[in-house]
Amino acid sequence: MKFLWGSATSAYQIEGNNTGADWWEWDGGRSGRASFFWEKWEEVIELLHELKHQAFRMSIEWSRVFPRPYEADREALEKYRRIIESLMDRGIEPVITLHHFTNPIWFSRMGGWERGENVSHFLRFIESVIPILEGVKFVITINEPNVYAFRSYVEGYWPPQEKSLWKALKVLSGLKEAHIRAYELLKSRTSASVSIAQNMMVFEPAWKWSPVHWIFTIMTDYMFNWYFPDRIKDHMDFLGINYYSRGFVLWPGSIRYRGNERNCMGWEVYPEGLYRVIKRAFRRYGKPIMITENGICTNNDFQRIKFLKEHVEQVMRARQEGIPVIGYLYWSLMDNYEWAEGFGPRFGLLEVDYERGKYRIRRSALFYSEIIETDGLAAL
Ligand code: BGC
């Protein structure tokens, strides 16, 4: 299978005006027109083509397709189909995510993922999306169930701002059920390879001579990295990994970042960690691996070039060892709405001028095109 080089995005972060999403209600629509994708998707696809991307990860916004619980919006579905087709027409493989953090407002009001019986609503959404997935080879059911459960139900930083371990476990169990049933549905009706995108981190003890911190580290590593994929391992055709950083564990679930090189949000830049998570995940599951996200927010584009070079090197190292890594998607194609952090952090290969609704190609985007053209060799 040909290795796929490309980039990743999510609907809520780039489309704009997703007024039916719970996140929109929560922050009063602060994302506004976001990165203008819903208006300018044709231009974006031209840019992807120009930059030689072979794959593009995007999500379908559930709340756009189902602004109300039982009635799909045909127009929205048709537009998503046009986007998917025009990617395929240009030889760009769409990687389609079905849940990327946001839910329809009505779904959250009925208890969201805390209630097992609500899973049927997600399946109805998938039923209506299946016809527009024709020709799509990769589907991600759920993005980062671990991050979603942690941020929204343990830390209470994201909506619905709960701080309850018990609720977090219920949410994870709802998401597991949703994934397994979605997997079965998708496998019976499409020819796509199906998985999740799991955020994976490298964890190390904050004090390496302290046995208790080693125990905290093992617990954190298990809960964050493996708890969810272990439960769905018989229902994934490959594993999507989103990798960003390494954390030093102070307390179970509580980490600090260290190191001289950081991204704009303070996360350590630790390229070798990408190799380490690929290797561990392959040992554990024996499935092909796709890097469904890896990227940096920075105001210094040279730092992004260095980041790309050093992380692609680690991907090449894993490939050279014979680990079946099937793709690498840089996060993100364009600057976008970084959730609670808003528009500050810039992850894009394309710079977005939020005032004027314009895109500009960064130098890192051109460097990445060279990586793509040489199948990774330009990074070595
Ligand atoms: C998420 C993205 C987010 C990125 C950078 C990932 O956890 O899937 O939506 O923008 O990290 O924080």
Side-chain angles (χ1 to χ4, degrees), residues 31-277:
S31 49
R33 289 162 78 198
S35 311
F36 314 97
F37 184 74
W38 203 241
E39 304 159 48
K40 296 177 186 264
W41 60 274
E42 282 159 309
E43 187 182 337
V44 173
I45 294 177
E46 282 316 316
L47 285 162
L48 279 167
H49 179 65
E50 192 180 322
L51 293 170
K52 317 247 170 4
H53 287 219
Q54 299 162 343
F56 181 56
R57 178 173 170 224
M58 54 174 266
S59 69
I60 296 183
E61 179 64 29
W62 181 8
S63 63
R64 214 187 256 292
V65 177
F66 277 93
R68 282 166 296 280
Y70 296 96
E71 197 187 315
D73 180 330
R74 294 282 132 216
E75 258 176 54
L77 281 168
E78 276 161 25
K79 181 151 165 184
Y80 278 120
R81 180 63 198 170
R82 285 206 299 282
I83 299 175
I84 291 173
E85 272 175 14
S86 77
L87 287 167
M88 295 191 296
D89 286 348
R90 281 169 186 71
I92 303 167
E93 207 65 76
V95 177
I96 304 294
T97 310
L98 300 172
H99 185 270
H100 198 121
F101 297 154
T102 53
N103 303 300
I105 295 172
W106 55 262
F107 179 79
S108 293
R109 293 217 175 116
M110 52 174 67
W113 298 103
E114 284 171 56
R115 298 169 64 121
E117 64 271 28
N118 289 349
V119 167
S120 58
H121 291 288
F122 184 60
L123 295 170
R124 186 161 353 93
F125 163 56
I126 297 183
E127 284 270 359
S128 70
V129 165
I130 282 176
I132 68 163
L133 292 180
E134 208 195 318
V136 171
K137 297 198 184 120
F138 300 96
V139 174
I140 299 291
T141 55
I142 295 161
N143 182 68
E144 300 186 348
N146 54 346
V147 171
Y148 176 72
F150 184 75
R151 289 251 189 223
S152 297
Y153 290 90
V154 180
E155 217 180 28
Y157 184 48
W158 285 358
Q161 295 192 292
E162 298 277 357
K163 288 188 183 169
S164 153
L165 207 51
W166 169 242
K167 286 194 178 170
L169 290 171
K170 284 217 305 204
V171 164
L172 285 171
S173 136
L175 291 170
K176 180 200 80 177
E177 184 70 18
H179 169 78
I180 292 179
R181 290 174 57 192
Y183 178 91
E184 281 166 354
L185 183 59
L186 288 159
K187 295 309 281 184
S188 69
R189 305 256 300 275
T190 73
S191 53
S193 292
V194 180
S195 183
I196 57 166
Q198 170 75 346
N199 187 307
M200 290 205 167
M201 291 188 71
V202 170
F203 293 109
E204 294 192 18
W207 289 280
K208 72 173 176 219
W209 308 116
S210 152
V212 76
H213 284 87
W214 276 100
I215 294 171
F216 292 166
T217 304
I218 291 167
M219 288 164 67
T220 305
D221 176 57
Y222 175 72
M223 282 310 294
F224 191 82
N225 287 331
W226 314 108
Y227 179 88
F228 196 87
D230 273 5
R231 278 163 180 69
I232 58 139
K233 64 177 186 304
D234 299 325
H235 296 85
M236 62 189 191
D237 302 319
F238 65 99
L239 179 63
I241 296 181
N242 297 351
Y243 172 77
Y244 289 89
S245 190
R246 157 166 77 173
F248 289 84
V249 179
L250 279 175
W251 195 249
S254 164
I255 60 157
R256 290 291 173 275
Y257 294 106
R258 288 185 186 160
N260 297 328
E261 204 191 333
R262 309 286 187 93
N263 78 2
C264 79
M265 298 197 280
W267 308 350
E268 182 189 6
V269 175
Y270 177 58
E272 194 179 352
L274 179 54
Y275 169 79
R276 289 175 63 185
V277 296

